[in-house]
Amino acid sequence: MLAPEAVPCCPPLTSAELSEADAVTMAAMFKALGDPVRLRLFSKVASHEGGEACVCDIQDVGVSQPTVSHHLKKLREAGLLASERRGTWVYYRVEPSVLAGLAQLLDLNR
Amino acid sequence: MLAPEAVPCCPPLTSAELSEADAVTMAAMFKALGDPVRLRLFSKVASHEGGEACVCDIQDVGVSQPTVSHHLKKLREAGLLASERRGTWVYYRVEPSVLAGLAQLLDLNR
DNA sequence: CCGCTGGATCGATGGATGTCAACATAGACG
DNA sequence: CGTCTATGTTGACATCCATCGATCCAGCGG
């Protein structure tokens, strides 16, 4: 849903207030991370060896398989994860530029 | 709602997967930032001169006054903002340790 | 071609959420 | 005390959303 190139969009929150449009864009990403199940799925992908994980590796989060699929779709639509089918399995990996955008917004460079 | 001391809780997302409990805690913060109006309010406070802002300084975000108050309450409950009444006005400021916790979680190491 | 498995989609449902108007509360000031 | 302004609270309402069972689709192995 969101173009990955549009991500490094905003100065740190502490330096200037967000425009209405930027707020919509960035809020969509925070919203995607704002569910415990989705955050755990994202965490499992982000911390998985090789930077990517098969759905089968991460789907033990206490909800049904359709729900897992639903949440992964939300994370994809928010631009946080990318997916690729290789044979039988589908692999997810973190979209690196997006994390950088979030980090910049929260001003990690102290 | 959330104890401020509980905030610097988690290693970076890329280093280890979140526990279920930590996911609930951190997701609540992301969720609070996951609304465009709330994110703009938070941004206005964070970028305001002196590190704090009166509600009257930030309430022009396109929604009614009760809605602004409602969103500020959510941000308070998530532990992201603190408020203090001084005379006629109520001032909000960013809870610094919380931002640090979020930043650590998103740390891209480098 | 067939069945099996991994994963996505659909439809339904109960609960959460954003919004507002109306009202309540808290200081300031007379 | 009375009134004005700045915020918070309440109640109602429409919409969104997380979840599940059922179903569907895509590869793989026989």
Side-chain angles (χ1 to χ4, degrees), chain A residues 11-101:
Chain A
L13 279 178
T14 49
S15 75
E17 79 178 65
L18 283 171
S19 73
E20 189 171 348
D22 285 347
V24 170
T25 301
M26 301 311 286
M29 293 186 187
F30 285 122
K31 188 175 186 176
L33 295 177
D35 178 272
V37 173
R38 277 199 296 272
L39 188 55
R40 286 188 76 197
L41 287 171
F42 185 82
S43 161
K44 279 169 176 279
V45 171
S47 64
H48 202 267
E49 170 189 24
E52 63 177 14
C54 168
V55 176
C56 57
D57 292 326
I58 61 176
Q59 79 188 165
D60 181 24
V61 287
V63 295
S64 68
Q65 176 269 323
T67 303
V68 169
S69 191
H70 165 74
H71 284 308
L72 288 173
K73 183 179 187 177
K74 286 291 191 76
L75 289 167
R76 250 165 36 221
E77 290 175 344
L80 292 167
L81 292 182
S83 68
E84 179 192 1
R85 172 162 222 133
R86 289 204 297 274
T88 304
W89 295 280
V90 176
Y91 292 86
Y92 281 78
R93 64 178 183 284
V94 174
E95 200 64 71
S97 63
V98 178
L99 257 195

Side-chain angles (χ1 to χ4, degrees), chain B residues 40-81:
Chain B
R40 286 188 75 196
L41 287 171
F42 185 81
S43 161
K44 279 170 176 279
V45 172
S47 63
H48 202 267
E49 171 189 22
E52 64 177 13
C54 167
V55 177
C56 58
D57 292 326
I58 59 176
Q59 81 188 160
D60 181 24
V61 287
V63 295
S64 69
Q65 176 270 322
T67 302
V68 169
S69 190
H70 165 74
H71 284 307
L72 287 173
K73 182 179 186 178
K74 286 292 191 77
L75 288 168
R76 251 165 34 221
E77 290 175 345
L80 292 167
L81 292 182

